[in-house]
Amino acid sequence: MNFKKPVIGIVCDVIKNGLNGFHGVGEKYINAIAHGANAIPILIPAQPAAQDLESLTEFFDADFFEQLDGVFFPGSPSNVEPHHYGTEASATPESHDKQRDGSSLPLIKLAIAKGIPLLAVCRGMQELNVAMGGELHQCLFHHEQFIEHRENKKGTRDEQYAPAHQVTLTTDGFLANILGATTHTVNSLHGQGIKTLGKGLKVEALAPDGLVEAISCNENGNFVVGVQWHPEWQYQQDKLSSSLFSAFGAAINQRFKEKNNKSM
């Protein structure tokens, strides 16, 4: 099928509603991909077998994903199961999504190996770190050295997604270059965070408490960026957020053009 715009695959969560599982993605992510990156958003269901699902691996294989112009890993209420980074005991056993783990972690490795542009937000950034061999803090709020990174659950959406703390961007890093500055104020809605950095990853931003807030990977000269905050929220009103989605859009558009040129 020929598309007039680049296509970005967005990895789905599996959400329990009563006794049934539903595959879905938050509207704000879809909106930012479509209008911020100027791309066609395609929702990719989780592939591992589950209660009502036979494995989809044979349909969503490497050949399928190589047809995409980019992949996006959104935030989620769920956490990566800790056995993926060498810790068996879970501090949040009620907040896992095995099917998403089984889809995201191998897809991240594939995207990096094949040069598919990749953007990861919140849980997505944590997945990127884990896929590259890094570890996570399961509960930042159990460690005195960290500030409170969680949102106020009783607040309105505007309050929860309001700017929360400043980050320091790495000098000459990707984010500093697209922003044209080395500090920025971001929102903060997460209970977990990076403990040890994955192989090949570079720190792009730090919170005031030293927590890694953004990462990148330069393998194959590809666009691989992860941020811990939520740039998709009202991205048009924030310079760094709009610049990030625009840069992602430029990377996928370049891949889109190269693919079309090869097929001519």
Side-chain angles (χ1 to χ4, degrees):
M1 186 178 295
N2 294 321
F3 292 99
K4 295 183 179 180
K5 290 181 181 290
V7 175
I8 295 179
I10 307 178
V11 175
C12 286
D13 293 327
V14 178
I15 304 153
K16 281 289 185 180
N17 187 348
L19 300 177
N20 301 298
F22 291 80
H23 296 229
V25 173
E27 284 186 347
K28 56 191 172 70
Y29 298 111
I30 299 170
N31 183 67
I33 288 299
H35 300 290
N38 193 30
I40 300 170
I42 300 293
L43 305 195
I44 306 298
Q47 291 97 65
Q51 175 181 304
D52 296 318
L53 182 71
E54 295 181 47
S55 173
L56 299 177
T57 303
E58 65 177 294
F59 302 100
F60 294 94
D61 57 9
D63 289 338
F64 170 82
F65 286 114
E66 285 194 68
Q67 296 180 65
L68 299 177
D69 301 297
V71 287
F72 179 68
F73 299 84
S76 169
S78 66
N79 297 318
V80 178
E81 284 198 313
H83 70 81
H84 290 293
Y85 48 92
T87 303
E88 291 302 322
S90 173
T92 60
E94 73 290 346
S95 301
H96 294 304
D97 183 346
K98 294 182 179 181
Q99 288 172 271
R100 173 157 169 173
D101 289 350
S103 302
S104 293
L105 298 179
L107 177 52
I108 287 169
K109 295 175 183 177
L110 175 68
I112 292 175
K114 298 295 185 180
I116 304 170
L118 181 164
L119 178 60
V121 166
C122 199
R123 185 201 208 269
M125 188 191 89
Q126 295 167 10
E127 290 171 330
L128 172 57
N129 189 59
V130 170
M132 301 303 285
E135 298 176 277
L136 303 177
H137 288 291
Q138 293 192 53
C139 296
L140 292 172
F141 44 91
H142 287 172
H143 300 271
E144 292 184 357
Q145 72 265 35
F146 296 121
I147 61 176
E148 179 59 81
H149 287 271
R150 294 174 295 176
E151 75 278 22
N152 177 4
K153 296 289 187 183
K154 296 181 180 179
T156 64
R157 289 185 81 209
D158 284 340
E159 291 170 338
Q160 290 180 359
Y161 284 91
H165 63 73
Q166 193 174 77
V167 293
T168 301
L169 307 180
T170 301
T171 302
D172 292 330
F174 171 78
L175 293 180
N177 285 335
I178 64 171
L179 179 64
T182 55
T183 60
H184 195 71
T185 302
V186 301
N187 49 31
S188 189
L189 295 87
H190 60 102
Q192 299 198 330
I194 289 179
K195 182 178 181 180
T196 61
L197 199 62
K199 183 179 179 181
L201 298 177
K202 173 187 174 183
V203 174
E204 287 283 342
L206 293 174
D209 56 12
L211 185 70
V212 175
E213 286 274 337
I215 55 179
S216 65
C217 179
N218 294 322
E219 287 192 22
N220 302 325
N222 190 25
F223 183 106
V224 178
V225 178
V227 298
Q228 186 62 77
W229 60 88
H230 285 266
E232 81 287 348
W233 175 255
Q234 298 179 352
Y235 72 92
Q236 309 97 322
Q237 300 175 25
D238 181 84
K239 183 179 179 181
L240 180 55
S241 298
S242 58
S243 297
L244 177 59
F245 281 105
S246 178
F248 185 40
I252 64 169
N253 192 58
Q254 179 64 31
R255 177 177 169 84
F256 176 70
K257 289 180 177 178
E258 289 174 356
K259 284 168 50 185
N260 286 346
N261 289 338
K262 289 179 181 179
S263 62
M264 289 180 180

